[in-house]
Amino acid sequence: MSSAAALVGRSAALLRQDDAASALECAQEALDAAENEEGDAAKVVEISALCACAEAFVAKGDAAKATANAQQACQKAKSTGDRILECSALLVVLKVELLSIQDAAKAMMTLRETGASWGEMAVILSLAKDAADAGGSQKASKQIEEGQANKDRWLEALGLMTLAMASVPKSGPAATARDNFLSVAKELGVVSTGAYAPTSELFRLHRSGGSVQEMREIEGRLEAAKKAGQKQEEAFALLDLAAAKISQDPAREVPEADEALSQLTKLGSKGGIAAAQLEVSRSCLAGGRPVDALKAAREACDGFKQLGNLAGESLAKGACAVAHLALGQLPEAMATATTAPSFARERGLRRACAEALRAAVPCFLAAGEYDRALQAGLEAAAALRDVGDNRGEALALLREVASAYIAKKDVESALKVASAALRLLRSAEDLPGEVDALQSTARIHIVRGDTEPALRLLQEAVGLCRDSSDVSEEVDAHILTCDVWLQRSSLADAESSARAALDLAKNRGHQVAQARSQLSLAKVRVAEQNFGQAATEAQAAAAIFKTLNHTRSEIVALCSAWSALVSSGKAGAEQAGEAAKKASAEFQAKADMQRAGEALLEASRAQLVAGKAEDASVSATSAVKIFKDLGHTKLEAEALWCVVDAEKSRDRQASAVKAAVEVVSLFKQRGDLQGQADATGRLAKAYLDSGSPKEAISELREARLLYQRLGVAQPGEASLLLQIGVQAHMKLDDPPRAIALCEEAVGLYRLIGDRVGEAAALQAAVQVCVQQGDYDSALKAARQSVAVLARARLAREEAQAHHLVARVHLARLEPREAVSSAAQALTLLRRPGDEAGRAEVLETASWAHSLGQEAEGAVGAAEEAVALCRKIGEQRRLATALQALAEAQLLRNDLDLVPETIAESLALIRSLGDEPGVEAHLLQLSTIIRLNKLKSSDAKKKGIKVSPKDALKEAKESSTMLNTFGDARLEAQGCTVLAQAHQEAGNFAGAVEEARNAYELYARLRDGVGIAHAALLFAGFCLKSPARQLGLESSLISQNRFMPALDQATENALCAHCMFRRVGDEEGQEAALQLLDEIRALRDGSTVDEFPRDYPRQRPIAPGSQRVPVECSRYRQIVGARRVPCRTGLAMPKSQLFPLEEIDLNSQPAYTTAEPKPLAVKALPRSALANIENWDRRFERKAWHNVKATMSGLWEYPDMGDGEPDTLKSAEYINKWLEELISPEQVSDK
């Protein structure tokens, strides 16, 4: 039957194109198909096909055949009992009877071209009949002339039909057919009773209002009615003017609506009163008074219902739905929005159906039904296009369809729709609509981050406004331009735009525009962090709105002022709290309870920042009572959440949870599943914040059940999985379940079609994997997020994904790969407004270059990041970029620049006060620079004085802060720096203790480089005090040993050399060899044993050799084993610690020596070697051969016999010691 129904629709379309023959052919084909089918659907199509055949015969002028088909359709329709079908058939019968009347034939031809439905025909006929009965033939002729002049086919058709009705005999068949048709139409609610102006009724039938031409027409009617003293015409013209202004700007309150209501009430026009109540409802909603809007919409709905005007009732229901939505009453909004369009659609009232659909779109979006919202928006646009309302179609595309696409994260489609709307308005020469379209398109570009095309569109809008002298729209364009400049962090340009708006408004004397301009200027002051001036500007705007009695704008301006004060600090927050309480009292005195409650909410937030949690709780509780009395569900829930925050700040977790449960109960009582699910999710968040992850997971499960009962995949459910579920399971140390929730969120976002959300879920999985040390899975998920966003063609989000890949590579200690991914991100961040993201990526690139020892790249990237941060005024990012710059400068050996960079970064970090890790690393870096200056001969020659005590103080502070993170590697690095500081301060015992701590920590970390550097550091300490005995105690050995300082230095230097060689660190080997040479020089001529000839020494370079000598870089000499503290932005896993093995020295082979030789230093490298690799105590053959060859090359020399002392043990002991590390069966020298 779908094909037959399509043929009927095709027949109607062909009739509109004046192709009656083809229309008849399609209708006949549909009739043949329907007659061969059975069932109710087939009967409906058959009747529709008969009516289509009759319409085609009417168009062809064949009255006989038209009558036959019409009578047959009428009989069949009556037999079905379907009054709508019967009404359609009766209309065809009437058209046949009117064929003989010339004016009626012309009117029907005109209406056929407009595609008028039977419902619209009923309205036209009813208006024409009433006008004809009132003797309006002269007026009808004027309507025909005006319609032809203005190309208004509907007005022309009304005039022609009025003349036709005047010529219809009162007792003839045409009159009978007309009365029968209008009787059924009235029964179906299409034709209403009650006085209503024909021109106004016709205007609402097919036009939206708001264009320049329509506004002029309405104003002309209004002036004419005033001059003529026609009170009813004046009232209806005023009503039409209110409707046109609301259509032009739905966010602006219109006083004409209240004035029209007052006049129509005095006149007693029931239809007019209902229509005026509808416009008052829309005006109240624009003024931020949803309670009053709902009341007016309900009165309008009741009025239309009493009059039997289903079209008006449908529009009023749409207004009720929007008001319910503004009040946070989603079930009522959805119920009304779902049923409202169907009444008008069934009756062919296309414009009423379109308006009801447009009202339903925001309800569907709030319910998360994005596809349904998109379908409703497209259907509304199509209906308005069909009725010939180009402006209405364009506005539906701009506001409803584009909003649905943006909700679906399909910005490209939104831009295409906005471009189509702009073309429509330009073709219609609708200047206000064109300006609106330009601004809407600019906003869509801003959503995508394309500020350059947004600025171009806004400049065009400013030019159009200047041409039309529209001050309000021009000011709005300047204000939006200011917002774009703020997004681009161009504060000077932003201020220039705000000033241009303010000067224009002042010069033209437009107070509302002036106040809006001052609010825009306040935003600029906030961006400049000039909070006092921002508050002053916002308060000036509030004063203007107060004088104009624009209460919604007044509270918005006051909130801006209070927010600026809160941003200035605790004192400002306290001042804002007092001001908000005072404003609340003033609003209560005016009986404006909604504004009073809103002011109390702001007072609660300000008091919370000011540290007055108890006062904040009292203010929020008072607001709850106000909103509860008003029936404002949305604000009541918001006030309860403020109570939750206040009680949490007072450490009253039980009270906070109780308030959160009240929110859940509030939505449960209303039967609002979505609100209940959202509130349950926030309750889960409250449990999570209070340290109860198990309870949070329980509430999360409840929220998920509620979401699933909605029957539509909800983005809220996926968001909860990431924000609550993943975090709670990580707190319970259940990473597998956290990963599973990430995967579920990915599936939900895919089902919804939200690629940004899908990428966010994958990136959440990256965080979990990195935190668990599973870098391979993390990298895979990060790359998947890049692929998802690349398909979505969202450059900024794709750049963020590439940046995440770079950070994962940084966590994997893969600097080259990190630099490559960062470069890909930077190529996508070239547009104006991307400065913040670019600075963040550049900082990561600098860390990667530093990790890869690429000094020039590190400094270049960091300097560019610092410059960008200074430009956009991002203080936190500037502090971390300066930290990266300091590390890069140290790597490049710009030691004179590092202290200044560190000082600036430290000052910023301390002013922010919430980055202890950055502060600790900066202090450690500062200590390293001080220690280097203490050791540097150049510094002494230049007379640079550095206090060892200051260095020690910084080292202690840094070490203490790093120890709080519970990471052994950071602790070991702190111990190393602290040991050097102790040494420079003359505290040798403290230096030895910290060096030993570092030694053991690196051994437990299985960090060969760290072990080697610690041994090298210890050896250096031994050389600093050759006359002292070192008492070495360690948990690793069972005895205390004592030995001369040079012997211990030798042992540690050998250990360091061995370890550096083991891990392949040539620079480290060279440093150890240099220290051994120094020890050898100290032994020459001393009373201690001579330095054995077979000890390792630097290899001389033969003449003509191409071998490049290895030198220990200055950077390595300064930082030692310290790693670059790369900021990955990821929760890194804590370094894993392994147990150290105890060495039982009693099991060693006996040697005849003059005195026992200590093995304390050697015990550490022995245990460290056992821990570095082959943790199951087994080496590969090649590894065993390398280790044995290394040790033999260092320590193997002839045994000196029983009576002669031996500094080290013989090769026999060394081999035995190594073989104990592994199973004998795995040992092989081959």
Side-chain angles (χ1 to χ4, degrees), residues 229-252:
Q230 298 173 339
K231 295 296 184 181
Q232 181 167 317
E233 291 292 337
E234 179 185 348
F236 277 109
L238 192 62
L239 178 61
D240 291 341
L241 183 62
K245 286 188 175 183
I246 292 172
S247 173
Q248 197 173 62
D249 187 358
R252 191 171 299 174

Side-chain angles (χ1 to χ4, degrees), residues 189 327 371 563 1061:
L327 290 169
D371 290 331
S563 176
R1061 187 168 177 177

Side-chain angles (χ1 to χ4, degrees), residues 14 160 245 268 296 510 540 549 600 633 728 735 741 747 819 837 931 984 1095 1181 1191 1210:
L14 289 169
L160 288 168
K245 286 188 175 183
H510 200 303
N549 199 29
L600 281 174
T633 309
L741 290 181
V819 168
L931 293 173
E984 294 297 333
Y1095 273 28
R1181 291 183 179 181
M1191 304 302 287
S1210 65

Side-chain angles (χ1 to χ4, degrees), residues 632 674 1198:
H632 202 310
Q674 172 130 5

